[in-house]
Amino acid sequence: MPTQQSDNTTSEPVAPGLGIVLTGGGARGAYQVGVLRGIARHLPDLRFPIITGTSAGAINAIYLAAHPGSPTEAAEDLCRLWGKLEFSDVFRVDFWSLARSAFRWTSRLGFGIGTLSSRTLGLLDTEPLRQLLRRELGTTNNIPNIASNIADGKLDAVGLMTVKYATGQTLSWIQGRDIETWERPARRSLETELTVEHVMASAALPFMFPAVQLEGEWFGDGGIRMAAPLSPALHLGANRILAVSNQYPRSQKEADQATSKFYPPPAKIAGNLLNAIFLDVLDQDVERLERLNRLLRKLPPEDREGMKPVDILMMRPSEDLGRLSAQYEPRLPKSFRFLTRNLGTRETDSPDSLSLLMFQGDYMKRLIEVGERDAESRIDEIRALAHSPGTA
């Protein structure tokens, strides 16, 4: 763990409009926490007044938005939370729970018998995660600290993204001050008082975690159809964005190298699908924004039709988090290890699907260390983004 002390260079005021976008990625969300701690070590007073989160990022987003203390205290508390996480804190991993869920799914899919109640919609029972969030946020459902932070001027807006299964629309649940909702055919927003259930809905990994009912409709992980992950932060007023991805930027040589030698196992196929759903879209959206920025900067302000360039800084892991997970696989709970190995996690060098579900303390701490180191290596860029007045 880095030991460099804070340089305390936060006397320059931060202009309004600074946002942070926290993406999905399951257990990889620990990397985001490391980034936040690295920032806090050097910029201990830096707040992000606009916060958006999806899936695992929704957990970190709501924690930041609701924390009553300083940014440094929020980062340290998040590190404590993720650093002690075990599988049993997120979903039930005892043999009988896994066997019962597997039997129900097999019966339904293989033989067309049985019914799936709301408690068996997902392969894994995530009631432990719900109870953990309630304890950590100090509530049974509503999260009053968000409104307090908005009233105190510590927070402008926070948004959590979900998908509405009945229509396939991405729905952003937002809470803030003087915000305007938006509506498109594929994505829309709704102003509300955020609760633990909104977090659970945003983090409901498809098939793995059960969907969550909000206002009479079923919702799941917001990354499923989130084509423009930067959009909510922009709608909420961000003119500078720190986007934290959990996807390692492979070199051309690494991208061309096969990670499994034989017929692709289910775990490898699932990993490709999950990366496409949760991680690839942020890279694509950032690329689109940067291309638009270049175009706008070539135009005089009067010809931009009201649009302005948006400063964007993308943080990515310096290590492959999927490959890292393979090092910790032997220490998985036996029942869960039996399930994942049958899906072929040992038949690939980079079990990305496993890394999304590896809520294991030692792996979490490693990801936090990587995130903290990466943030410290780019702290000058982060500082410049934070103290920029925004691009005109």
Side-chain angles (χ1 to χ4, degrees):
M1 184 71 66
T3 57
Q4 186 174 355
Q5 297 299 310
S6 164
D7 53 20
N8 293 315
T9 54
T10 58
S11 57
E12 185 179 351
V14 174
L18 178 63
I20 185 168
V21 173
L22 302 172
T23 63
R28 296 186 191 186
Y31 172 78
Q32 300 171 354
V33 175
V35 170
L36 292 170
R37 174 189 260 181
I39 294 172
R41 281 184 178 274
H42 293 268
L43 304 170
D45 299 320
L46 177 61
R47 292 186 182 275
F48 293 92
I50 298 170
I51 305 171
T52 66
T54 305
S55 195
I59 296 174
N60 293 332
I62 209 71
Y63 205 94
L64 288 179
H67 199 282
S70 68
T72 299
E73 291 170 334
E76 289 302 320
D77 283 347
L78 268 173
C79 286
R80 172 190 55 79
L81 171 62
W82 282 86
K84 69 176 184 179
L85 270 185
E86 298 294 341
F87 287 92
S88 58
D89 295 318
V90 181
F91 49 82
R92 302 191 192 282
V93 293
D94 61 279
F95 174 80
W96 290 113
S97 292
L98 293 176
R100 185 165 52 250
S101 294
F103 174 77
R104 287 170 176 164
W105 272 94
T106 302
S107 299
R108 181 62 176 258
L109 298 176
F111 305 103
I113 61 175
T115 59
L116 293 177
S117 70
S118 60
R119 293 182 59 82
T120 58
L121 283 172
L123 180 61
L124 302 171
D125 182 353
T126 55
E127 184 59 26
L129 176 59
R130 178 177 282 106
Q131 297 304 323
L132 174 68
L133 290 174
R134 288 174 175 174
R135 290 195 303 270
E136 290 293 330
L137 295 172
T139 180
T140 56
N141 195 27
N142 295 332
I143 311 173
N145 281 347
I146 296 178
S148 298
N149 284 340
I150 292 172
D152 293 341
K154 298 178 180 178
L155 178 69
D156 289 341
V158 56
L160 305 182
M161 275 52 75
T162 64
V163 66
K164 186 177 179 179
Y165 280 125
T167 63
Q169 289 178 310
T170 295
L171 181 59
S172 299
W173 305 86
I174 55 177
Q175 183 174 351
R177 177 195 306 111
D178 300 326
I179 54 180
E180 295 183 5
T181 58
W182 61 93
E183 187 167 350
R184 306 285 189 277
R187 60 182 187 269
R188 55 188 291 264
S189 64
L190 184 64
E191 189 170 2
T192 189
E193 181 180 353
L194 293 171
T195 69
V196 170
E197 292 305 293
H198 291 97
V199 185
M200 291 296 296
S202 184
L205 286 167
F207 297 112
M208 302 302 293
F209 293 174
V212 176
Q213 197 169 31
L214 299 170
E215 300 188 2
E217 300 283 354
W218 292 100
F219 291 87
D221 197 304
I224 295 176
R225 298 198 68 184
M226 192 64 185
L230 301 178
S231 175
L234 295 173
H235 279 294
L236 293 174
N239 56 26
R240 290 118 59 229
I241 296 176
L242 175 65
V244 187
S245 173
N246 300 316
Q247 180 158 255
Y248 170 70
R250 295 185 297 172
S251 66
Q252 186 63 54
K253 181 179 179 180
E254 290 172 318
D256 292 337
Q257 183 177 1
T259 55
S260 56
K261 298 179 180 179
F262 305 105
Y263 188 86
K268 181 60 178 176
I269 297 173
N272 288 336
L273 287 173
L274 292 170
N275 282 339
I277 293 171
F278 297 112
L279 303 179
D280 293 350
V281 289
L282 180 60
D283 287 339
Q284 296 162 6
D285 205 22
V286 169
E287 184 178 348
R288 285 193 296 267
L289 180 60
E290 290 176 335
R291 187 181 301 118
L292 180 60
N293 282 341
R294 289 193 294 271
L295 177 60
L296 289 173
R297 290 187 178 111
K298 293 179 180 179
L299 296 175
E302 61 271 17
D303 293 336
R304 295 175 181 175
E305 297 185 0
M307 294 186 291
K308 294 181 179 180
V310 175
D311 294 335
I312 178 77
L313 178 61
M314 180 80 150
M315 288 289 303
R316 298 182 180 90
S318 58
E319 297 185 45
D320 189 327
L321 306 188
R323 288 183 180 273
L324 278 179
S325 69
Q327 300 177 18
Y328 298 88
E329 189 270 350
R331 293 194 285 276
L332 290 173
K334 289 183 179 179
S335 56
F336 191 69
R337 187 171 67 231
F338 174 80
L339 175 64
T340 57
R341 286 186 178 182
N342 280 338
L343 294 175
T345 54
R346 299 274 283 186
E347 299 172 34
T348 173
D349 296 333
S350 184
D352 288 335
S353 58
L354 178 62
S355 70
L356 269 68
L357 294 172
M358 187 168 278
F359 294 97
Q360 188 165 289
D362 48 5
Y363 180 61
M364 301 288 93
K365 291 175 182 177
R366 179 70 177 276
L367 299 195
I368 291 172
E369 292 174 2
V370 174
E372 185 174 356
R373 184 179 66 239
D374 290 350
E376 292 193 340
S377 71
R378 302 186 65 183
I379 197 64
D380 289 340
E381 296 174 75
I382 297 171
R383 181 184 293 110
L385 179 78
H387 297 305
S388 167
T391 307

